[in-house]
Amino acid sequence: MQLKKKISELERARDNATSYTEWEQLGMELDALTGLDLWKLDNTSPDYNYELIHERLVSLRTLQQQNKTRELMRSLREGLHHDLGNMGNPALYCRAYVGTKRLIEDYVDQVCDALNYVCAQPASVIPYDEKMRFFENTSRSFGQPSLMLSGGATLGLFHIGVCKALQEHNLLPKVISGSSAGAIMAAMVGSHTDDELEAMYDGDGWYSDAWRWKSPIRGFLGEGFADQKQLETFLRRNIGEYSFEEAYARTGRHVNITVSPVHEHQKSRLMNELTSPYLLLWSAVLASCAVPILFPAVTLTTKNEDGDYLPYMPRERWVDGSVKSDLPRERLMHLYNVNYFIAVQVNPHIVPFLESDRRRLERRFMSWPKRAVREELKFHGAGVMNFLRTQVKHEATRQLLGHAYTVLAQRYYGDVTIAPPRYTLDHFRHVLSEPDRERWHWFRLQGERATWPKIAMIRTHTRISETLTDNIQLLIRQRARRRDDQLRVVGKSAPARPTGTE
């Protein structure tokens, strides 16, 4: 009885933690009290191939200790695969309060240590070009993670806490997509350097003057019930006047914004530095936030060689990106070799129906009928909505039917799904309101708390790809320094040019 009381007290304290350090410490105490720390030390489990992971760990460690660099490189190239032995299985991360099997953590540590070891080898052991080729090919075959931020109006402030928690653990992916409210956060992260993000997460000067209602008469006349000019001013002030190409050059992050066409013969677009390099970032975000009825459709703006602003595809208008592509998995896979998706879902019409990893993975026979009926209703409902939207000509009605179709047809889960544990009336009350400083920090803390339990699973999947990327960047900087040194030597040894005639 005393033990149960102690566990309940620690769980309540953990739910109210205000930092990851506090949350982790309480979780470790709970693991010790419940005996789950012993479960983490036991390699065996039916949920992953622990024998394969152990064999690979021992092999890599032995080769590195024996300084067999070339054999180590061959072993990494042949055996380094995403989610080896199903070690990213969510079932392995739902058991303990903090972390997972120690074997998995040791394996990821060893792989990253081996990659850093190879990168640190002098040119006399591994020539520079061969080393760069090794890391580029390994990175290409392994893939990289992506962060996908959903729409959700003011509830999108939740994304701030998620990005902050990931960045603090060096787990913020280089590929970030966003639609509607998620587009605002993706653009903010993609246009600010790491140092600037620290101030942005605090929210000073950022959380006000974004939202204003217009008179109902203007709304009924088709101009939208919310002031789009106010939102545009807010976006330009906080994102800047960067094109997608310029934002990528500034931060190294691939920002992807989804927008949906008004015209029925156009498809939804994923805007980024590859598909639309000269498009202004704030313009794409404005279109992605243009929820039908609330805001009018947007004509996008691009920048020419002289820096002048011009309409992008002047005949086309664009609306809310979540209407047709809230979480654009396939396009991200094709464009950026993404193999792992972190989905952050805050849409008020989606979150109440999301299931936890534990519920989704349950195998009880009695749960089958309910799940089967749910999937059937979703499938047939999407079919009906898809048929109706192709038959209706009225623009606003077609957009609403299209939105209903995508709500039913889209997949809202990622390999890791981060969402608020529940929505209260307080959340819905603020969904279309202007946030103040207190509300900003309230949402941010909720995002952090929802992310902390996912850190171990995200680290398992993303740390290796981040290590590969870091080593490639290090090698590029080394090459640049070597070239600069060579130029300086040539400059010093070159004979002085004559200043006049003899």
Side-chain angles (χ1 to χ4, degrees), residues 14-224:
R14 187 168 175 263
D15 290 341
N16 294 311
T18 56
S19 71
Y20 179 79
T21 302
E22 179 188 359
W23 179 89
E24 183 182 39
Q25 183 60 44
L26 290 165
M28 291 171 67
E29 288 185 45
L30 283 162
D31 281 337
L33 276 175
T34 57
L36 288 170
D37 51 353
L38 298 177
W39 174 84
K40 290 189 282 188
L41 293 174
D42 178 13
N43 294 341
T44 63
S45 170
D47 294 318
Y48 77 123
N49 190 339
Y50 57 89
E51 293 174 330
L52 173 64
I53 303 297
H54 183 265
E55 180 185 342
R56 288 286 300 157
L57 169 62
V58 172
S59 175
L60 292 174
R61 183 176 289 166
T62 301
L63 290 172
Q64 184 175 338
Q65 288 173 345
Q66 295 175 353
N67 294 321
K68 295 182 177 180
T69 306
R70 289 194 176 277
E71 290 90 334
L72 180 62
M73 291 171 67
R74 290 181 67 87
S75 181
L76 287 167
R77 283 291 289 124
E78 291 177 350
L80 193 56
H81 299 288
H82 173 66
D83 202 16
L84 182 72
N86 201 26
M87 64 181 183
N89 184 351
L92 293 165
Y93 302 84
C94 297
R95 186 78 177 270
Y97 285 92
V98 178
T100 184
K101 294 289 189 181
R102 180 66 178 273
L103 175 63
I104 294 174
E105 296 172 351
D106 288 345
Y107 171 74
V108 173
D109 286 345
Q110 178 56 53
V111 169
C112 294
D113 193 41
L115 291 170
N116 291 331
Y117 169 83
V118 171
C119 186
Q121 293 303 300
S124 58
V125 177
I126 305 294
Y128 175 87
D129 290 341
E130 182 182 349
K131 196 188 300 182
M132 177 62 89
R133 200 160 47 245
F134 163 79
F135 278 103
E136 288 178 339
N137 291 338
T138 306
S139 179
R140 190 175 298 114
S141 66
F142 189 80
Q144 65 176 322
S146 171
L147 177 66
M148 302 186 297
L149 307 175
S150 80
T154 302
L155 301 177
L157 293 175
F158 179 90
H159 296 319
I160 297 163
V162 175
C163 292
K164 180 175 181 288
L166 292 177
Q167 189 179 16
E168 286 175 348
H169 290 84
N170 196 31
L171 296 174
L172 185 64
K174 296 290 190 294
V175 179
I176 305 174
S177 74
S179 62
S180 195
I184 299 177
M185 192 62 210
M188 288 293 292
V189 172
S191 60
H192 287 69
T193 63
D194 289 344
D195 291 338
E196 292 169 341
L197 283 179
E198 196 170 321
M200 189 206 80
Y201 292 139
D202 194 48
D204 285 337
W206 197 78
Y207 49 76
S208 59
D209 303 326
W211 182 269
R212 186 170 64 197
W213 291 101
K214 293 166 69 173
S215 68
I217 296 175
R218 303 280 291 276
F220 286 118
L221 290 175
E223 299 178 19

Side-chain angles (χ1 to χ4, degrees), residues 356-391:
S356 67
D357 290 336
R358 194 183 297 273
R359 287 283 301 277
R360 286 194 300 120
L361 294 169
E362 69 178 356
R363 300 171 182 172
R364 292 185 305 106
F365 176 75
M366 296 301 293
S367 70
W368 289 8
K370 179 181 176 181
R371 289 159 66 186
V373 170
R374 181 175 177 172
E375 290 300 316
E376 279 296 306
L377 289 174
K378 184 178 176 181
F379 175 77
H380 291 295
V384 171
M385 292 299 171
N386 189 36
F387 170 78
L388 291 175
R389 70 176 181 149
T390 60
Q391 305 302 310

Side-chain angles (χ1 to χ4, degrees), residues 118-385:
V118 171
C119 186
Q121 293 303 300
S124 58
V125 177
I126 305 294
Y128 175 87
D129 290 341
E130 182 182 349
K131 196 188 300 182
M132 177 62 89
R133 200 160 47 245
F134 163 79
F135 278 103
E136 288 178 339
N137 291 338
T138 306
S139 179
R140 190 175 298 114
S141 66
F142 189 80
Q144 65 176 322
S146 171
L147 177 66
M148 302 186 297
L149 307 175
S150 80
T154 302
L155 301 177
L157 293 175
F158 179 90
H159 296 319
I160 297 163
V162 175
C163 292
K164 180 175 181 288
L166 292 177
Q167 189 179 16
E168 286 175 348
H169 290 84
N170 196 31
L171 296 174
L172 185 64
K174 296 290 190 294
V175 179
I176 305 174
S177 74
S179 62
S180 195
I184 299 177
M185 192 62 210
M188 288 293 292
V189 172
S191 60
H192 287 69
T193 63
D194 289 344
D195 291 338
E196 292 169 341
L197 283 179
E198 196 170 321
M200 189 206 80
Y201 292 139
D202 194 48
D204 285 337
W206 197 78
Y207 49 76
S208 59
D209 303 326
W211 182 269
R212 186 170 64 197
W213 291 101
K214 293 166 69 173
S215 68
I217 296 175
R218 303 280 291 276
F220 286 118
L221 290 175
E223 299 178 19
F225 288 92
D227 190 339
Q228 193 172 66
K229 194 65 182 176
Q230 178 84 3
L231 178 60
E232 179 184 329
T233 302
F234 166 82
L235 294 175
R236 297 178 74 166
R237 185 177 71 241
N238 290 285
I239 294 173
E241 300 293 323
Y242 301 111
S243 66
F244 278 93
E245 186 178 63
E246 291 166 342
Y248 172 69
R250 189 168 193 268
T251 67
R253 285 184 264 270
H254 306 276
V255 184
N256 294 262
I257 306 298
T258 55
V259 294
S260 301
V262 170
H263 199 285
E264 61 179 321
H265 297 301
Q266 277 279 12
K267 294 183 178 180
S268 59
R269 298 286 184 91
L270 188 66
M271 304 301 196
N272 51 53
E273 86 282 357
L274 298 176
T275 62
S276 48
Y278 318 121
L279 186 70
L280 287 167
L281 195 54
W282 64 260
S283 172
V285 175
L286 186 67
S288 193
C289 290
V291 180
I293 300 176
L294 282 180
F295 293 109
V298 172
T299 300
L300 295 170
T301 305
T302 189
K303 187 188 291 188
N304 67 14
E305 285 185 76
D306 299 323
D308 299 324
Y309 291 1
L310 300 171
Y312 173 87
M313 300 182 68
R315 292 180 179 274
E316 297 295 335
R317 292 180 302 149
W318 308 85
V319 295
D320 182 4
S322 64
V323 169
K324 293 186 178 179
S325 185
D326 197 31
L327 304 177
R329 285 177 181 77
E330 289 189 12
R331 287 292 284 156
L332 294 176
M333 289 172 63
H334 295 155
L335 289 170
Y336 298 107
N337 192 29
V338 170
N339 64 2
Y340 184 72
F341 296 95
I342 305 168
V344 187
Q345 184 56 254
V346 297
N347 266 312
H349 57 282
I350 299 299
V351 169
F353 303 101
L354 288 177
E355 293 181 301
S356 67
D357 290 336
R358 194 183 297 273
R359 287 283 301 277
R360 286 194 300 120
L361 294 169
E362 69 178 356
R363 300 171 182 172
R364 292 185 305 106
F365 176 75
M366 296 301 293
S367 70
W368 289 8
K370 179 181 176 181
R371 289 159 66 186
V373 170
R374 181 175 177 172
E375 290 300 316
E376 279 296 306
L377 289 174
K378 184 178 176 181
F379 175 77
H380 291 295
V384 171
M385 292 299 171

